[in-house]
Amino acid sequence: GLRNPWRFSFDRQTGDIWIGDVGQNKYEEIDFQAAADKGGANYGWNIMEGLHCFQPPSGCNQDGLVRPVFEYSHDSGGCSVTGGYVYRGAAIPPLRGAYLFTDYCRATLWAIHQDTGGTFTTTEIGELPEGVSGFGEDEAGELYIALDQAGTMNRIIAK
C-alpha cells in the first residue's frame, strides 16, 4: 500500500493517523486511517498513484483499496509532500482540529478539516518558505516547521 510515507502522525486527541505519501512522478497524497479502524488497509501503491491508475496506466482494479483524502498534481508546482500534524494548539483557533501539511517545492500550507459526517475539506491557508522537510509539535499542540536548507525551526503563527 504506501509508496514512500514522508512524515506520518497520530492526532493527539483522537488517535487517528495521517500520512503524507510521496508519489512516483505525478501525484502526491494524504492518507487517513481512523483510530477505530482495525488496520491492514491497502492504500493502493503500486496499483494507484493518488487517485489515478499507475500499473496498469488505466483500467486498474481498485477493489479494496483505500483512496487518499487529498491529492495534488506535480503540474501545480509540487514535487514531494511533507506530512504534518493535526493542530491542537490554542494560538490559531480556526485551525484547531485541522491537519496541516505542505510540499517541499510548492510551499503552500494546506489544512484538511474533517466534519462530523466524515467529509474531508482541504483549503490553502498560507505560504511557507520552500524546503520544509518536516513539522514538529510542542507540548501545547503548537506546530513548527523545519527548513531543510536553513537548518532552522519556525513556529506556525497566524498573520
Side-chain angles (χ1 to χ4, degrees):
L2 295 168
R3 183 185 173 275
N4 184 17
W6 186 252
R7 309 296 188 242
F8 68 90
S9 63
F10 292 90
D11 180 341
R12 64 169 54 201
Q13 183 173 314
T14 66
D16 299 335
I17 188 169
W18 293 83
I19 307 164
D21 194 17
V22 176
Q24 176 67 25
N25 57 13
K26 291 185 181 178
Y27 300 97
E28 306 296 308
E29 68 185 70
I30 299 295
D31 297 303
F32 172 84
Q33 184 168 348
D37 290 350
K38 295 183 187 223
N42 183 346
Y43 293 99
W45 181 255
N46 67 353
I47 298 166
M48 306 283 293
E49 182 181 9
L51 296 168
H52 308 271
C53 290
F54 181 73
Q55 287 185 354
S58 63
C60 60
N61 181 356
Q62 300 178 31
D63 292 344
L65 302 181
V66 177
R67 286 160 185 74
V69 297
F70 181 70
E71 70 150 22
Y72 60 96
S73 166
H74 289 190
D75 293 341
S76 68
C79 69
S80 179
V81 67
T82 302
Y85 286 89
V86 173
Y87 180 73
R88 295 293 178 192
I92 314 171
L95 293 181
R96 188 157 172 75
Y99 174 73
L100 304 181
F101 67 100
T102 191
D103 182 277
Y104 187 82
C105 297
R106 183 169 170 187
T108 298
L109 181 62
W110 282 287
I112 299 178
H113 288 88
Q114 182 182 19
D115 68 20
T116 55
T119 301
F120 296 93
T121 305
T122 305
T123 54
E124 293 184 12
I125 59 170
E127 293 297 317
L128 298 172
E130 286 186 11
V132 174
S133 58
F135 285 79
E137 180 182 38
D138 68 18
E139 291 176 0
E142 300 301 332
L143 298 184
Y144 299 79
I145 57 170
L147 295 172
D148 191 36
Q149 300 301 319
T152 62
M153 293 286 290
N154 297 289
R155 184 173 167 188
I156 296 174
I157 59 171
K159 281 189 172 184

